[in-house]
Amino acid sequence: MPVNPTPLTRTASANCIKGDPSGETQSGNGGTYRNRTTILGALIDSTPAYVPADTTVTPNTDAMLYVGGNDGFLHAFKASTGDEVFGYVPGGLNF
């Protein structure tokens, strides 16, 4: 157990969710959060929504896949590549 663990504050938790690794134990500063291999929140028990491209309305659009993560984000991915286009946090989460 680290002598001076990172305090579990609201700000530290929000920063961790937003991808800041400084509170993880791997950072060597006595962090208290588990080490992550990716900052994308788990997509467990979320139902993905596939939205096909509609080039008749907007040219050069891509089919998209939308899914909610347990980090509070709604993630949007290009269906053809798997690249994340954006992650949206609803205003009620107050980051």
Side-chain angles (χ1 to χ4, degrees):
M1 181 78 161
V3 176
N4 295 312
T6 304
L8 298 176
T9 65
R10 172 185 250 171
T11 300
S13 294
N15 289 340
C16 179
I17 290 169
K18 292 187 282 186
D20 178 5
S22 65
E24 296 175 16
T25 58
Q26 68 186 355
S27 65
N29 65 357
T32 54
Y33 298 117
R34 67 176 174 79
N35 297 332
R36 298 177 287 184
T37 57
T38 178
I39 60 172
L40 181 66
L43 306 177
I44 305 298
D45 294 329
S46 182
T47 303
Y50 174 78
V51 179
D54 186 354
T55 56
T56 61
V57 175
T58 307
N60 303 318
T61 59
D62 295 305
M64 298 293 291
L65 186 68
Y66 298 93
V67 63
N70 71 356
D71 53 3
F73 283 74
L74 169 66
H75 298 278
F77 299 95
K78 282 187 179 181
S80 61
T81 64
D83 292 335
E84 185 171 19
V85 176
F86 67 84
Y88 172 75
V89 179
L93 294 180
N94 195 22
F95 281 144

Coordinates of all heavy atoms in Angstrom, one line a residue:
M1 N 0.8 -1.2 0.0 CA 0.0 0.0 0.0 C 0.9 1.2 0.0 O 1.8 1.4 0.8 CB -0.9 0.0 1.2 CG -1.8 1.1 1.3 SD -3.2 0.8 0.2 CE -4.4 1.9 0.9
P2 N 0.6 2.2 -0.9 CA 1.5 3.4 -1.0 C 1.3 4.2 0.3 O 0.3 4.2 1.0 CB 0.9 4.2 -2.1 CG 0.1 3.2 -2.9 CD -0.3 2.1 -2.0
V3 N 2.4 4.9 0.7 CA 2.4 5.7 1.9 C 1.5 6.9 1.7 O 0.7 7.3 2.6 CB 3.8 6.2 2.2 CG1 3.8 7.1 3.4 CG2 4.7 5.0 2.5
N4 N 1.5 7.6 0.6 CA 0.7 8.8 0.3 C -0.1 8.6 -1.0 O 0.2 9.1 -2.0 CB 1.6 10.0 0.1 CG 2.4 10.4 1.3 OD1 1.8 10.4 2.4 ND2 3.7 10.6 1.2
P5 N -1.2 7.8 -0.9 CA -2.0 7.5 -2.1 C -2.7 8.8 -2.6 O -2.9 9.7 -1.8 CB -3.0 6.5 -1.6 CG -3.1 6.7 -0.1 CD -1.8 7.2 0.3
T6 N -3.0 8.8 -3.9 CA -3.7 9.9 -4.5 C -5.1 9.9 -3.9 O -5.8 8.9 -3.8 CB -3.9 9.7 -6.0 OG1 -2.6 9.5 -6.6 CG2 -4.6 10.8 -6.7
P7 N -5.5 11.1 -3.3 CA -6.8 11.2 -2.7 C -7.9 11.0 -3.8 O -7.8 11.4 -4.9 CB -6.9 12.6 -2.2 CG -5.8 13.4 -2.8 CD -4.8 12.4 -3.3
L8 N -9.0 10.4 -3.4 CA -10.1 10.1 -4.2 C -11.1 11.3 -4.2 O -12.1 11.2 -3.5 CB -10.8 8.8 -3.9 CG -10.0 7.5 -4.0 CD1 -10.7 6.3 -3.4 CD2 -9.5 7.3 -5.4
T9 N -10.8 12.3 -4.9 CA -11.6 13.5 -4.9 C -12.5 13.5 -6.1 O -12.3 12.8 -7.1 CB -10.7 14.8 -4.9 OG1 -10.0 14.8 -6.1 CG2 -9.8 14.8 -3.7
R10 N -13.5 14.4 -6.1 CA -14.3 14.5 -7.3 C -13.5 14.9 -8.5 O -13.7 14.4 -9.6 CB -15.4 15.6 -7.0 CG -16.2 16.0 -8.2 CD -17.2 17.1 -7.9 NE -18.5 16.5 -7.8 CZ -19.6 17.1 -7.4 NH1 -19.5 18.4 -7.0 NH2 -20.7 16.6 -7.5
T11 N -12.6 15.9 -8.4 CA -11.8 16.3 -9.5 C -10.9 15.2 -10.0 O -10.8 15.0 -11.2 CB -10.9 17.6 -9.0 OG1 -11.8 18.6 -8.6 CG2 -10.1 18.0 -10.2
A12 N -10.2 14.5 -9.1 CA -9.4 13.4 -9.5 C -10.1 12.3 -10.2 O -9.7 11.8 -11.2 CB -8.7 12.8 -8.3
S13 N -11.3 12.0 -9.7 CA -12.2 11.0 -10.4 C -12.6 11.5 -11.8 O -12.5 10.7 -12.8 CB -13.4 10.7 -9.6 OG -13.1 10.1 -8.3
A14 N -13.0 12.7 -11.9 CA -13.4 13.3 -13.2 C -12.2 13.3 -14.2 O -12.4 12.9 -15.3 CB -14.0 14.7 -13.1
N15 N -11.1 13.6 -13.7 CA -9.9 13.6 -14.6 C -9.5 12.2 -15.0 O -9.1 12.0 -16.2 CB -8.7 14.3 -13.9 CG -8.9 15.8 -13.7 OD1 -9.6 16.4 -14.4 ND2 -8.1 16.4 -12.8
C16 N -9.6 11.3 -14.1 CA -9.4 9.9 -14.5 C -10.3 9.4 -15.6 O -9.9 8.8 -16.6 CB -9.5 9.0 -13.3 SG -9.2 7.2 -13.6
I17 N -11.6 9.7 -15.4 CA -12.6 9.3 -16.4 C -12.3 10.0 -17.8 O -12.5 9.4 -18.8 CB -14.0 9.7 -16.0 CG1 -14.4 8.8 -14.8 CG2 -15.1 9.6 -17.1 CD1 -15.7 9.2 -14.1
K18 N -11.8 11.2 -17.7 CA -11.5 11.9 -19.0 C -10.1 11.5 -19.6 O -9.8 12.0 -20.6 CB -11.5 13.4 -18.7 CG -12.8 14.0 -18.4 CD -12.9 15.5 -18.3 CE -12.3 16.0 -17.0 NZ -12.4 17.5 -16.9
G19 N -9.4 10.6 -18.9 CA -8.2 10.0 -19.5 C -6.9 10.3 -18.9 O -5.9 9.9 -19.3
D20 N -6.9 11.1 -17.8 CA -5.7 11.5 -17.1 C -5.2 10.3 -16.3 O -5.8 9.8 -15.4 CB -6.0 12.6 -16.1 CG -4.8 13.0 -15.3 OD1 -3.7 12.5 -15.6 OD2 -4.9 13.9 -14.5
P21 N -4.0 9.8 -16.7 CA -3.4 8.6 -16.0 C -2.6 8.9 -14.7 O -2.1 7.9 -14.1 CB -2.5 8.0 -17.1 CG -2.0 9.2 -17.8 CD -3.1 10.2 -17.8
S22 N -2.5 10.1 -14.3 CA -1.6 10.5 -13.2 C -2.0 9.8 -11.9 O -1.2 9.7 -11.0 CB -1.5 12.0 -13.1 OG -2.8 12.5 -12.7
G23 N -3.3 9.4 -11.7 CA -3.7 8.8 -10.5 C -3.6 7.3 -10.5 O -4.0 6.6 -9.5
E24 N -3.1 6.7 -11.6 CA -3.0 5.2 -11.7 C -1.7 4.8 -11.0 O -0.8 5.6 -10.8 CB -2.9 4.8 -13.2 CG -4.2 5.1 -13.9 CD -4.1 4.8 -15.4 OE1 -3.2 4.1 -15.8 OE2 -5.0 5.3 -16.1
T25 N -1.7 3.6 -10.5 CA -0.6 3.1 -9.8 C 0.7 3.0 -10.6 O 1.8 3.1 -10.1 CB -0.9 1.7 -9.2 OG1 -1.2 0.8 -10.2 CG2 -2.0 1.7 -8.2
Q26 N 0.6 2.9 -11.9 CA 1.7 2.8 -12.8 C 2.5 4.1 -12.9 O 3.7 4.1 -13.4 CB 1.4 2.3 -14.2 CG 0.5 3.3 -15.0 CD 0.0 2.7 -16.3 OE1 0.4 1.6 -16.7 NE2 -0.8 3.5 -17.0
S27 N 1.9 5.2 -12.5 CA 2.6 6.5 -12.7 C 3.7 6.7 -11.7 O 4.5 7.6 -11.9 CB 1.6 7.6 -12.6 OG 1.0 7.6 -11.3
G28 N 3.8 5.8 -10.7 CA 4.9 5.9 -9.8 C 4.8 6.9 -8.7 O 5.7 7.2 -7.9
N29 N 3.6 7.6 -8.7 CA 3.4 8.6 -7.7 C 2.5 8.2 -6.5 O 1.9 9.0 -5.9 CB 2.9 9.9 -8.3 CG 1.5 9.7 -8.9 OD1 0.9 8.7 -8.9 ND2 1.0 10.8 -9.5
G30 N 2.3 6.9 -6.4 CA 1.4 6.4 -5.3 C 0.0 6.5 -5.6 O -0.9 6.6 -4.8
G31 N -0.3 6.4 -6.9 CA -1.7 6.5 -7.4 C -2.6 5.4 -6.8 O -2.1 4.3 -6.4
T32 N -3.9 5.6 -6.7 CA -4.8 4.6 -6.2 C -5.7 4.0 -7.2 O -6.4 3.0 -6.9 CB -5.7 5.3 -5.1 OG1 -6.4 6.4 -5.7 CG2 -4.9 5.7 -3.9
Y33 N -5.7 4.5 -8.4 CA -6.5 3.9 -9.5 C -5.8 2.8 -10.2 O -4.6 2.7 -10.3 CB -6.9 5.0 -10.5 CG -7.7 6.1 -10.0 CD1 -7.2 7.4 -10.0 CD2 -9.0 5.9 -9.4 CE1 -8.0 8.5 -9.5 CE2 -9.7 7.0 -8.9 CZ -9.2 8.2 -8.9 OH -9.9 9.3 -8.4
R34 N -6.6 1.8 -10.7 CA -6.0 0.7 -11.4 C -5.4 1.2 -12.7 O -5.7 2.2 -13.3 CB -7.0 -0.4 -11.7 CG -8.1 0.1 -12.7 CD -9.1 -1.0 -13.1 NE -10.1 -0.5 -13.9 CZ -10.1 -0.3 -15.2 NH1 -8.9 -0.5 -15.8 NH2 -11.1 0.2 -15.9
N35 N -4.4 0.4 -13.1 CA -3.7 0.7 -14.4 C -4.6 0.4 -15.6 O -5.3 -0.7 -15.5 CB -2.4 0.0 -14.5 CG -1.4 0.4 -13.5 OD1 -1.5 1.5 -13.0 ND2 -0.5 -0.5 -13.1
R36 N -4.7 1.2 -16.6 CA -5.5 1.0 -17.8 C -4.6 0.8 -19.0 O -3.6 1.4 -19.1 CB -6.5 2.1 -18.0 CG -7.5 2.3 -16.9 CD -8.3 3.5 -17.2 NE -7.5 4.8 -17.0 CZ -8.0 6.0 -17.1 NH1 -9.2 6.2 -17.3 NH2 -7.2 7.0 -16.9
T37 N -5.1 0.0 -19.9 CA -4.4 -0.2 -21.2 C -5.0 0.8 -22.2 O -4.4 1.0 -23.3 CB -4.4 -1.6 -21.7 OG1 -5.7 -2.0 -21.8 CG2 -3.6 -2.5 -20.7
T38 N -6.2 1.3 -22.0 CA -6.9 2.2 -22.8 C -7.8 3.1 -22.0 O -8.2 2.7 -20.9 CB -7.7 1.4 -23.9 OG1 -8.4 2.4 -24.7 CG2 -8.8 0.5 -23.2
I39 N -8.1 4.3 -22.5 CA -8.9 5.2 -21.7 C -10.4 5.0 -22.0 O -11.2 5.7 -21.4 CB -8.5 6.6 -21.8 CG1 -8.5 7.1 -23.3 CG2 -7.1 6.9 -21.2 CD1 -8.3 8.6 -23.5
L40 N -10.7 4.2 -23.0 CA -12.1 4.0 -23.4 C -12.8 3.2 -22.3 O -12.3 2.2 -21.8 CB -12.2 3.2 -24.7 CG -13.6 3.0 -25.2 CD1 -14.3 4.3 -25.6 CD2 -13.5 2.1 -26.5
G41 N -13.9 3.7 -21.8 CA -14.7 3.0 -20.7 C -15.3 1.7 -21.3 O -15.5 1.6 -22.5
A42 N -15.5 0.8 -20.4 CA -16.0 -0.5 -20.8 C -17.4 -0.4 -21.4 O -18.2 0.5 -21.0 CB -16.1 -1.4 -19.6
L43 N -17.7 -1.2 -22.4 CA -19.0 -1.1 -23.1 C -19.9 -2.3 -22.7 O -20.7 -2.7 -23.5 CB -18.7 -1.1 -24.6 CG -17.7 0.0 -25.1 CD1 -17.5 -0.1 -26.6 CD2 -18.2 1.4 -24.8
I44 N -19.7 -2.7 -21.5 CA -20.5 -3.9 -21.0 C -22.0 -3.5 -20.8 O -22.3 -2.4 -20.4 CB -19.9 -4.3 -19.6 CG1 -18.4 -4.6 -19.7 CG2 -20.7 -5.5 -19.0 CD1 -18.1 -5.7 -20.6
D45 N -22.8 -4.4 -21.2 CA -24.3 -4.2 -21.1 C -24.9 -3.0 -21.9 O -25.9 -2.5 -21.5 CB -24.7 -4.2 -19.7 CG -24.5 -5.5 -18.9 OD1 -24.6 -6.5 -19.6 OD2 -24.2 -5.5 -17.7
S46 N -24.1 -2.5 -22.8 CA -24.6 -1.4 -23.7 C -25.1 -2.0 -25.0 O -24.4 -2.9 -25.5 CB -23.5 -0.3 -23.9 OG -24.0 0.7 -24.6
T47 N -26.2 -1.5 -25.5 CA -26.7 -1.9 -26.8 C -26.2 -1.0 -27.9 O -26.7 0.2 -27.9 CB -28.2 -2.0 -26.8 OG1 -28.6 -2.9 -25.7 CG2 -28.7 -2.5 -28.1
P48 N -25.3 -1.4 -28.8 CA -24.8 -0.5 -29.8 C -26.0 -0.2 -30.8 O -26.9 -1.0 -31.1 CB -23.7 -1.3 -30.5 CG -23.6 -2.6 -29.9 CD -24.7 -2.7 -28.8
A49 N -25.9 1.0 -31.4 CA -26.9 1.4 -32.5 C -26.1 1.7 -33.7 O -25.2 2.5 -33.8 CB -27.6 2.6 -32.0
Y50 N -26.4 0.9 -34.8 CA -25.8 1.1 -36.1 C -26.7 2.0 -36.9 O -27.9 1.8 -37.0 CB -25.7 -0.3 -36.8 CG -25.2 -0.1 -38.2 CD1 -23.9 0.1 -38.5 CD2 -26.1 -0.2 -39.3 CE1 -23.4 0.2 -39.8 CE2 -25.6 -0.1 -40.6 CZ -24.3 0.1 -40.8 OH -23.8 0.2 -42.1
V51 N -26.1 3.1 -37.5 CA -26.8 4.1 -38.3 C -26.1 4.0 -39.7 O -25.0 4.5 -39.8 CB -26.8 5.5 -37.7 CG1 -27.5 6.5 -38.6 CG2 -27.4 5.5 -36.3
P52 N -26.8 3.5 -40.7 CA -26.2 3.5 -42.0 C -26.0 4.9 -42.6 O -26.7 5.8 -42.3 CB -27.3 2.7 -42.9 CG -28.5 2.7 -42.1 CD -28.2 3.0 -40.7
A53 N -25.1 5.0 -43.5 CA -24.8 6.2 -44.2 C -26.0 6.6 -45.1 O -26.5 5.7 -45.8 CB -23.5 6.1 -45.0
D54 N -26.4 7.8 -45.2 CA -27.4 8.3 -46.1 C -26.8 9.3 -47.0 O -27.0 10.5 -46.7 CB -28.6 8.8 -45.3 CG -29.8 9.1 -46.2 OD1 -29.7 9.0 -47.4 OD2 -30.9 9.5 -45.7
T55 N -26.2 8.9 -48.0 CA -25.5 9.9 -48.9 C -26.5 10.6 -49.8 O -26.1 11.6 -50.5 CB -24.5 9.1 -49.8 OG1 -25.2 8.1 -50.5 CG2 -23.4 8.6 -49.0
T56 N -27.8 10.3 -49.8 CA -28.8 11.1 -50.5 C -29.0 12.4 -49.8 O -29.4 13.4 -50.5 CB -30.1 10.3 -50.7 OG1 -30.7 10.0 -49.4 CG2 -29.9 9.0 -51.5
V57 N -28.9 12.4 -48.5 CA -29.1 13.6 -47.7 C -27.8 14.4 -47.6 O -27.7 15.6 -47.8 CB -29.7 13.3 -46.3 CG1 -29.8 14.6 -45.5 CG2 -31.0 12.6 -46.5
T58 N -26.7 13.7 -47.2 CA -25.4 14.4 -46.9 C -24.4 13.6 -47.7 O -24.1 12.4 -47.3 CB -25.1 14.4 -45.4 OG1 -26.2 15.1 -44.7 CG2 -23.8 15.2 -45.2
P59 N -23.8 14.1 -48.7 CA -22.7 13.4 -49.4 C -21.5 13.1 -48.6 O -21.3 13.8 -47.6 CB -22.4 14.3 -50.6 CG -23.4 15.3 -50.7 CD -24.1 15.4 -49.3
N60 N -20.8 12.0 -48.9 CA -19.6 11.7 -48.2 C -19.7 11.4 -46.7 O -18.9 11.7 -45.9 CB -18.5 12.7 -48.4 CG -18.2 13.0 -49.8 OD1 -18.1 12.1 -50.6 ND2 -18.1 14.2 -50.2
T61 N -20.9 10.8 -46.3 CA -21.1 10.5 -44.9 C -20.7 9.0 -44.7 O -20.7 8.2 -45.7 CB -22.5 10.7 -44.4 OG1 -23.4 9.9 -45.2 CG2 -22.9 12.2 -44.5
D62 N -20.4 8.7 -43.5 CA -20.0 7.3 -43.1 C -21.1 6.6 -42.3 O -21.8 7.3 -41.5 CB -18.7 7.3 -42.3 CG -17.6 7.7 -43.1 OD1 -17.3 7.2 -44.2 OD2 -16.9 8.7 -42.7
A63 N -21.3 5.3 -42.4 CA -22.1 4.6 -41.5 C -21.5 4.7 -40.1 O -20.2 4.7 -40.0 CB -22.2 3.1 -41.9
M64 N -22.3 4.9 -39.1 CA -21.8 5.1 -37.7 C -22.3 4.0 -36.8 O -23.3 3.4 -37.0 CB -22.2 6.4 -37.2 CG -21.7 7.6 -38.0 SD -19.9 7.8 -37.9 CE -19.7 8.3 -36.2
L65 N -21.5 3.8 -35.7 CA -21.9 2.9 -34.6 C -21.8 3.7 -33.3 O -20.8 4.3 -33.0 CB -21.0 1.7 -34.5 CG -21.3 0.7 -33.5 CD1 -22.6 -0.1 -34.0 CD2 -20.2 -0.3 -33.4
Y66 N -23.0 3.8 -32.6 CA -23.0 4.6 -31.4 C -23.2 3.6 -30.2 O -24.0 2.7 -30.3 CB -24.2 5.6 -31.4 CG -24.1 6.6 -32.5 CD1 -24.7 6.4 -33.7 CD2 -23.4 7.8 -32.3 CE1 -24.6 7.3 -34.8 CE2 -23.3 8.7 -33.3 CZ -23.9 8.5 -34.5 OH -23.8 9.4 -35.6
V67 N -22.5 3.9 -29.1 CA -22.6 3.0 -28.0 C -22.2 3.8 -26.7 O -21.4 4.7 -26.7 CB -21.6 1.7 -28.1 CG1 -20.2 2.2 -28.2 CG2 -21.9 0.7 -27.1
G68 N -22.9 3.4 -25.6 CA -22.6 4.1 -24.3 C -21.6 3.3 -23.5 O -21.6 2.1 -23.5
G69 N -20.7 4.0 -22.9 CA -19.7 3.4 -22.1 C -20.0 3.6 -20.6 O -20.7 4.5 -20.2
N70 N -19.4 2.8 -19.7 CA -19.7 2.9 -18.3 C -18.9 4.1 -17.7 O -19.0 4.3 -16.5 CB -19.4 1.6 -17.5 CG -17.9 1.3 -17.4 OD1 -17.1 1.9 -18.0 ND2 -17.6 0.2 -16.7
D71 N -18.2 4.8 -18.6 CA -17.5 6.0 -18.1 C -18.5 7.3 -18.3 O -18.1 8.4 -18.0 CB -16.3 6.3 -18.9 CG -16.5 6.2 -20.4 OD1 -17.6 6.1 -20.9 OD2 -15.5 6.3 -21.2
G72 N -19.7 7.0 -18.7 CA -20.7 8.1 -18.9 C -20.7 8.7 -20.3 O -21.5 9.6 -20.6
F73 N -19.8 8.3 -21.2 CA -19.7 8.9 -22.5 C -20.6 8.1 -23.5 O -20.8 6.9 -23.4 CB -18.3 8.7 -23.1 CG -17.3 9.7 -22.5 CD1 -16.8 9.6 -21.2 CD2 -16.8 10.7 -23.3 CE1 -15.9 10.5 -20.7 CE2 -15.9 11.6 -22.8 CZ -15.4 11.5 -21.5
L74 N -21.1 8.8 -24.5 CA -21.7 8.2 -25.6 C -20.6 8.3 -26.7 O -20.1 9.4 -27.0 CB -22.9 9.0 -26.1 CG -23.5 8.6 -27.5 CD1 -24.0 7.2 -27.5 CD2 -24.5 9.6 -28.0
H75 N -20.2 7.2 -27.2 CA -19.1 7.1 -28.2 C -19.7 6.9 -29.5 O -20.6 6.1 -29.7 CB -18.1 6.0 -27.8 CG -17.5 6.1 -26.5 ND1 -16.4 6.9 -26.3 CD2 -17.7 5.6 -25.3 CE1 -16.0 6.8 -25.1 NE2 -16.8 6.0 -24.4
A76 N -19.1 7.6 -30.5 CA -19.4 7.4 -31.9 C -18.2 6.9 -32.7 O -17.1 7.5 -32.6 CB -19.9 8.7 -32.5
F77 N -18.4 5.8 -33.4 CA -17.3 5.2 -34.2 C -17.7 5.1 -35.7 O -18.9 4.8 -36.0 CB -17.0 3.7 -33.7 CG -16.6 3.7 -32.3 CD1 -17.6 3.4 -31.3 CD2 -15.3 3.8 -31.9 CE1 -17.2 3.4 -29.9 CE2 -14.9 3.8 -30.6 CZ -15.8 3.5 -29.6
K78 N -16.7 5.2 -36.6 CA -17.0 5.0 -38.0 C -17.1 3.5 -38.1 O -16.3 2.7 -37.7 CB -15.8 5.4 -38.8 CG -15.8 6.9 -39.1 CD -14.7 7.2 -40.1 CE -14.6 8.7 -40.4 NZ -13.6 9.0 -41.4
A79 N -18.2 3.0 -38.7 CA -18.5 1.6 -38.8 C -17.5 0.9 -39.7 O -17.1 -0.3 -39.5 CB -19.9 1.3 -39.3
S80 N -17.0 1.6 -40.7 CA -16.0 1.0 -41.6 C -14.6 0.8 -41.1 O -13.9 -0.2 -41.5 CB -16.0 1.8 -42.9 OG -15.5 3.1 -42.6
T81 N -14.2 1.6 -40.1 CA -12.8 1.5 -39.6 C -12.7 1.2 -38.2 O -11.7 0.8 -37.7 CB -12.1 2.8 -39.9 OG1 -12.7 3.9 -39.2 CG2 -12.1 3.2 -41.4
G82 N -13.8 1.6 -37.4 CA -13.7 1.4 -35.9 C -13.1 2.6 -35.3 O -12.9 2.6 -34.0
D83 N -12.7 3.6 -36.0 CA -12.1 4.8 -35.5 C -13.2 5.6 -34.7 O -14.3 5.8 -35.2 CB -11.5 5.7 -36.5 CG -10.3 5.1 -37.2 OD1 -9.6 4.3 -36.6 OD2 -10.0 5.5 -38.4
E84 N -12.8 6.1 -33.5 CA -13.8 6.9 -32.7 C -13.8 8.3 -33.3 O -12.8 9.0 -33.6 CB -13.4 7.0 -31.3 CG -14.4 7.8 -30.4 CD -14.1 7.7 -28.9 OE1 -13.0 7.4 -28.5 OE2 -15.1 7.9 -28.2
V85 N -15.0 8.8 -33.6 CA -15.2 10.1 -34.2 C -15.4 11.1 -33.0 O -14.9 12.2 -33.1 CB -16.5 10.1 -35.1 CG1 -16.8 11.5 -35.6 CG2 -16.3 9.2 -36.2
F86 N -16.2 10.8 -32.0 CA -16.3 11.6 -30.8 C -16.8 10.8 -29.6 O -17.3 9.7 -29.8 CB -17.3 12.8 -31.1 CG -18.7 12.4 -31.4 CD1 -19.6 12.2 -30.3 CD2 -19.2 12.3 -32.6 CE1 -20.9 11.9 -30.5 CE2 -20.5 12.0 -32.9 CZ -21.4 11.8 -31.8
G87 N -16.6 11.4 -28.5 CA -17.2 10.9 -27.2 C -17.9 12.1 -26.6 O -17.4 13.2 -26.5
Y88 N -19.2 11.9 -26.3 CA -20.1 13.0 -25.8 C -20.4 12.7 -24.3 O -20.8 11.6 -24.0 CB -21.4 13.0 -26.6 CG -22.4 14.0 -26.1 CD1 -22.3 15.3 -26.2 CD2 -23.5 13.4 -25.4 CE1 -23.2 16.2 -25.7 CE2 -24.5 14.3 -24.9 CZ -24.3 15.7 -25.0 OH -25.3 16.5 -24.5
V89 N -20.3 13.7 -23.5 CA -20.7 13.6 -22.1 C -21.9 14.5 -21.9 O -21.8 15.7 -22.1 CB -19.6 14.1 -21.2 CG1 -20.0 14.0 -19.7 CG2 -18.3 13.3 -21.4
P90 N -23.0 13.9 -21.5 CA -24.2 14.7 -21.2 C -23.9 15.7 -20.2 O -23.2 15.5 -19.2 CB -25.3 13.7 -20.7 CG -24.8 12.4 -21.2 CD -23.3 12.5 -21.3
G91 N -24.5 16.9 -20.3 CA -24.3 18.0 -19.4 C -24.6 17.7 -17.9 O -24.0 18.3 -17.0
G92 N -25.5 16.8 -17.7 CA -25.9 16.4 -16.3 C -24.7 15.8 -15.5 O -24.8 15.7 -14.3
L93 N -23.7 15.3 -16.2 CA -22.6 14.7 -15.5 C -21.6 15.7 -14.9 O -20.8 15.4 -14.0 CB -21.8 13.7 -16.4 CG -22.6 12.5 -16.8 CD1 -21.8 11.6 -17.7 CD2 -23.1 11.7 -15.6
N94 N -21.7 16.9 -15.4 CA -20.9 18.1 -14.8 C -19.4 17.8 -14.7 O -18.9 17.9 -13.6 CB -21.6 18.4 -13.5 CG -21.1 19.8 -13.1 OD1 -20.7 20.6 -13.9 ND2 -21.3 20.1 -11.8
F95 N -18.8 17.5 -15.7 CA -17.3 17.4 -15.7 C -16.7 18.7 -15.8 O -15.6 19.0 -15.8 CB -16.8 16.5 -16.8 CG -16.9 15.0 -16.6 CD1 -17.2 14.2 -17.6 CD2 -16.8 14.5 -15.3 CE1 -17.4 12.8 -17.4 CE2 -16.9 13.1 -15.1 CZ -17.2 12.3 -16.1

